[in-house]
Amino acid sequence: MAKPLRKDAQRNRDLLVEAARGLYAVRGLDVALEEIAKTAGVSIGTLYNHFPQRAELVDAVFADRTKTVVSIAEHALALDDPWAGLTHFVERICELQAADRGYNELASTRPPPAGDHERGYELMTRIVDRAKESGALRADFTLEDMAFVTWGIARTVEATAALRPDAWRRHLALLFDGMRAAAANRLPEPPLRPEELARLMGHCG
């Protein structure tokens, strides 16, 4: 078990996370670490002491977001209508993307987020399976296909944010129509395998 940080060290860590969160939300994940340290009012050495790798800072910034996504998934599963549960989950995730440029970039370089890996995978699997079992979601839709939704909305948010910040909702509605069982036609390519998705995400990140 890691030793608790001293009060001053914890304060510096909290300042760094808060500074990074604000900068990432507005400008994305490529903000210079030196600027994050300056905004936090600490030295770059202090930043590296707490976060030797940029990815560790990113994880710390969005740790609370993963808890939010788990709560969204749990609420989606509590809805009586499986299709409503699926669309609620996806729309809420897309709203998180649209509200935070950094999170939007993160969503397009990592698997669809749903909290801690095992818990998130379990919840998302249940959301998708329940919608398929109800006959509302096309039978050939897989959990890996959710990445196409995430990637597509991420790019729409990026392209339209300055002029039409809600345009992604139209894009998502079109995607939902394509996901309905009643609209399904034979797909020309097989779904991505889990290992293929992991490999693709690795290249994106």
Side-chain angles (χ1 to χ4, degrees):
M1 182 180 295
K3 289 177 58 178
L5 294 174
R6 299 190 318 269
K7 286 186 178 181
D8 59 334
Q10 184 63 57
R11 176 179 176 275
N12 286 339
R13 186 184 190 280
D14 292 344
L15 288 170
L16 286 163
V17 170
E18 192 61 31
R21 181 178 289 119
L23 290 167
Y24 288 162
V26 176
R27 293 166 49 191
L29 299 178
D30 288 335
V31 178
L33 294 177
E34 290 80 4
E35 184 171 356
I36 293 172
K38 182 179 179 181
T39 301
V42 302
S43 69
I44 188 64
T46 297
L47 185 151
Y48 280 119
N49 283 339
H50 287 284
F51 305 105
Q53 303 294 327
R54 178 185 286 270
E56 294 175 87
L57 177 58
V58 171
D59 287 343
V61 167
F62 294 107
D64 63 333
R65 194 59 59 84
T66 62
K67 294 183 178 65
T68 298
V69 175
V70 165
S71 295
I72 293 170
E74 290 172 341
H75 179 74
L77 286 168
L79 296 176
D80 291 335
D81 182 346
W83 176 257
L86 174 71
T87 58
H88 170 84
F89 175 74
V90 176
E91 188 170 3
R92 295 293 88 74
I93 297 304
C94 292
E95 286 176 351
L96 293 178
Q97 291 178 233
D100 186 324
R101 181 174 172 182
Y103 188 72
N104 188 53
E105 292 177 6
L106 189 69
S108 65
T109 59
R110 293 191 182 181
D116 296 335
H117 295 300
E118 292 183 8
R119 177 64 172 159
Y121 189 86
E122 174 193 350
L123 291 173
M124 290 182 63
T125 299
R126 286 167 57 193
I127 289 170
V128 169
D129 286 349
R130 197 171 72 121
K132 288 199 288 188
E133 289 164 6
S134 75
L137 178 64
R138 56 187 303 151
D140 54 0
F141 188 90
T142 70
L143 187 60
E144 288 68 39
D145 287 325
M146 197 72 79
F148 294 132
V149 178
T150 304
W151 290 338
I153 296 301
R155 293 297 177 249
T156 297
V157 166
E158 181 181 328
T160 63
L163 183 63
R164 289 279 302 278
D166 287 331
W168 64 268
R169 295 185 184 277
R170 180 181 176 88
H171 182 179
L172 183 59
L174 291 168
L175 293 177
F176 280 152
D177 279 352
M179 290 161 61
R180 289 181 182 275
N185 290 302
R186 183 179 177 83
L187 295 171
E189 286 290 324
L192 293 173
R193 297 189 299 272
E195 61 272 20
E196 290 177 320
L197 177 60
R199 184 176 178 183
L200 288 169
M201 288 294 189
H203 286 317
C204 289

